[in-house]
Amino acid sequence: MKFTEDHEWLLADGDTITVGITPHASEQLGDVVFVELPELETQVAKGDEIVVIESVKAASDITAPLDGEIVEVNDALVDNPALVNEDPTGEAWFFKIKVEDPSALDAFMTEDEYKDHIGE
Amino acid sequence: MDGVCNPKALPLAALHEELGAKFVPFAGWSMPVQYGLGVMGEHNWTRENAGLFDVSHMGQVMLPATADAALEALVPVDVIGLAEGRQRYGYFTNASGGVLDDLMIARVPDGLFLVVNAACRDADIAHLRAHIDGVEEIEGRALLALQGPKAEGALSVLIPAVADMRFMDSQRHDWNGVELWISRSGYTGEDGFEISVPDIVAEDFARTLLADERVQPIGLGARDSLRLEAGLPLYGQEMSEEISPIEAGQAWAITKVRRAGGDRAGGFPGADTILNQIANGPVRRRAGLLPEGRAPMRTGVEIFDSPDATTPIGIVTSGGFGPTLGAPIALALIDAATPPDAPLWGEVRGKRLPVTQTTLPFTPNGYKRSSK
């Protein structure tokens, strides 16, 4: 598993990467009440805002970690946004993105590097 | 001085830290925004049990008893006729009929006791001093709010007499040899109390309340969702110098004696505008909105009367998620000509999402209006 500076986790399976947010991010957000997911089969560019997460406090977003195509989204989050708080690294994945260059994943942080990043 | 502004700490800051609070800067203060239960948990706890809020950032002001007529000249409510031991909600108006701040006014044995908003306290005190002699800003007293259906049960263990107080009573009671200034009020829509307590015993008093299993500490986050569900206006959002109290749905607070035809009609800043709006209706009005679906519509979302209209008919002044309702809710300021049953749309991230209008409050209030 790799991590972004914006507190997303990335899990590769071949050229498909599953994206979620870390327990640290979930805790900072507070109770999540609404999740808006990207459309299937859309082409996204690295840095595009593609997911909206609304907590009782505020709205925040997830950006695309790499260029690619959205191949699967987790509809369970739409019905039960609280999953983001309950199981951020498990059932509460947000989307799967098919990328052209999976080796680009190497540029992201390891778990130890991420822990340093958040000061744990 | 280097000009850097450090937020002021509340008298109970150390206790909040010990209780695991997260802090945010608010109106120049470092305020606990949430504790371990989280905003949703704290909100629901307060609706079902009793929540303890530290609202010491709000201003506490004492005026001489003889200042009632002078205060009446600044607010459109009946101060002269306010009985001892009673409290009334009011607001300072400006010459154009807008609002400078909203406040609570209580008549107590030695004068008039006011509670004003944190962000406005310095301006309010200057405003009062410009018109009234003997304005005293109270220093050295914390202000706590105990809110929720079990607030009476928890507080009456310490001070049995509070069980006989009714909504908007304001009394002084002894606790361990110190005088507490207690009103049966709050800003959550629930029954409850606001308690002014000397700084030196504030932590001891708060710990005593928190030792009761019915009481949990509650932060600013849940305070905002509770007051929003209760349909209560927040100064700076529902009311401002540009929004009149009539537009904000607060005409109820203007007592009969100060209205057209009353014994002391008018005589407050902006009276012509405000009394005219009462008689003929304002151009804009407050609306309670229930967005369909789950997407919250927050402050600043534009409201339209059709999915393709180009000109908005209003704007959300406060919006978020109502934990008790389990759905998004919003207060908006809209064109007064909009029929109350007209379907509306809010534009969220470029999409028009349908909303229905609803009567307020979103959740029924629990005020204790009769004495038993």
Side-chain angles (χ1 to χ4, degrees):
Chain A
M1 197 176 268
K2 291 283 201 171
F3 296 86
T4 73
E5 292 198 342
D6 298 325
H7 312 288
E8 294 138 13
W9 54 260
L10 314 172
L11 186 64
D13 177 11
D15 60 358
T16 299
I17 295 166
T18 305
V19 179
I21 64 170
T22 65
H24 172 79
S26 158
E27 195 181 307
Q28 293 296 315
L29 281 173
D31 305 300
V32 173
V33 295
F34 173 75
V35 172
E36 189 174 293
L37 296 169
E39 302 267 325
L40 273 180
E41 293 168 20
T42 34
Q43 297 293 326
V44 299
K46 181 176 178 170
D48 287 355
E49 291 170 7
I50 54 173
V51 172
V52 176
I53 306 173
E54 299 252 15
S55 70
V56 283
K57 288 187 278 189
S60 51
D61 53 54
I62 298 180
T63 56
L66 293 165
D67 296 350
E69 182 186 348
I70 303 297
V71 292
E72 205 175 331
V73 295
N74 187 359
D75 286 322
L77 295 183
V78 176
D79 299 328
N80 183 13
L83 273 180
V84 178
N85 299 111
E86 288 159 13
D87 193 10
T89 45
E91 284 185 52
W93 57 276
F94 285 82
F95 59 88
K96 296 183 183 188
I97 182 170
K98 189 173 177 181
V99 299
E100 284 173 20
D101 178 16
S103 73
L105 215 58
D106 296 340
F108 292 97
M109 286 181 276
T110 63
E111 184 162 9
D112 284 346
E113 286 165 341
Y114 178 71
K115 281 184 174 171
D116 280 347
H117 176 62
I118 59 172
E120 274 186 6
Chain B
M1 296 294 285
D2 58 7
V4 173
C5 184
N6 289 315
K8 290 178 278 187
L10 299 167
L12 294 175
L15 175 61
H16 299 313
E17 198 129 352
E18 182 185 316
L19 294 167
K22 286 185 189 168
F23 292 87
V24 292
F26 176 79
W29 294 80
S30 179
M31 297 291 297
V33 65
Q34 67 173 85
Y35 300 84
L37 283 177
V39 176
M40 193 111 74
E42 291 170 29
H43 179 112
N44 291 331
W45 182 273
T46 305
R47 287 267 183 260
E48 290 160 17
N49 299 286
L52 183 65
F53 303 74
D54 186 354
V55 289
S56 300
H57 61 311
M58 296 178 81
Q60 302 181 60
V61 182
M62 195 69 79
L63 307 182
T66 51
D68 50 6
L71 181 59
E72 266 209 7
L74 304 178
V75 297
V77 303
D78 177 6
V79 183
I80 291 171
L82 182 61
E84 188 176 313
R86 293 291 290 162
Q87 176 174 272
R88 191 162 274 165
Y89 171 81
Y91 26 76
F92 296 118
T93 49
N94 65 20
S96 59
V99 177
L100 298 171
D101 193 13
D102 60 348
L103 75 159
M104 287 293 185
I105 304 164
R107 189 182 286 278
V108 292
D110 50 345
L112 295 162
F113 175 56
L114 315 183
V115 176
V116 302
N117 281 310
C120 304
R121 67 190 274 176
D122 292 347
D124 290 343
I125 287 161
H127 182 58
L128 287 164
R129 287 195 170 132
H131 296 91
I132 299 172
D133 291 328
V135 175
E136 184 197 353
E137 182 172 12
I138 302 292
E139 305 280 355
R141 292 187 82 94
L143 192 65
L144 301 174
L146 186 68
Q147 301 282 295
K150 296 183 183 171
E152 178 188 291
L155 188 59
S156 62
V157 172
L158 312 183
I159 305 160
V162 301
D164 295 326
M165 294 176 74
R166 62 194 170 100
F167 186 53
M168 295 300 242
D169 275 349
S170 178
Q171 299 176 353
R172 293 179 170 180
H173 291 288
D174 177 89
W175 178 72
N176 286 354
V178 295
E179 191 178 69
L180 305 186
W181 304 347
I182 303 175
S183 67
R184 192 151 198 164
S185 63
Y187 222 59
T188 60
E190 292 299 322
D191 182 24
F193 303 87
E194 287 196 348
I195 308 146
S196 171
V197 48
D199 276 357
I200 45 165
V201 296
E203 185 172 322
D204 190 17
F205 180 69
R207 282 185 191 278
T208 306
L209 283 173
L210 289 166
D212 190 307
E213 62 183 15
R214 293 167 284 195
V215 181
Q216 285 285 335
I218 309 295
L220 213 58
R223 188 167 175 84
D224 193 54
S225 56
L226 288 159
R227 74 93 199 162
L228 177 58
E229 274 188 345
L232 296 167
L234 185 64
Y235 186 74
Q237 293 186 227
E238 279 66 47
M239 279 188 287
S240 73
E241 293 192 43
E242 284 76 43
I243 305 170
S244 87
I246 313 308
E247 293 174 324
Q250 297 301 88
W252 62 268
I254 303 184
T255 24
K256 201 175 168 193
V257 73
R258 307 298 306 279
R259 294 181 180 226
D263 284 349
R264 299 191 305 280
F268 52 88
D272 290 352
T273 304
I274 288 172
L275 295 181
N276 180 53
Q277 286 182 358
I278 292 177
N280 301 310
V283 176
R284 302 176 294 181
R285 67 171 173 86
R286 184 179 67 170
L289 302 181
L290 293 172
E292 289 176 22
R294 292 189 70 99
M297 292 187 185
R298 298 188 191 272
T299 309
V301 164
E302 290 187 316
I303 302 298
F304 296 84
D305 61 3
S306 80
D308 47 15
T310 52
T311 309
I313 57 136
I315 191 162
V316 170
T317 50
S318 289
F321 186 80
T324 310
L325 272 77
I329 54 175
L331 294 174
L333 192 61
I334 66 170
D335 186 338
T338 312
D341 56 351
L344 301 175
W345 284 261
E347 187 160 301
V348 180
R349 294 179 284 275
K351 273 183 244 168
R352 297 277 171 96
L353 304 174
V355 301
T356 51
Q357 299 178 66
T358 185
T359 52
L360 295 169
F362 295 103
T363 50
N365 65 50
Y367 306 139
K368 190 182 170 188
R369 295 193 186 271
S370 60
S371 50
K372 278 291 166 190

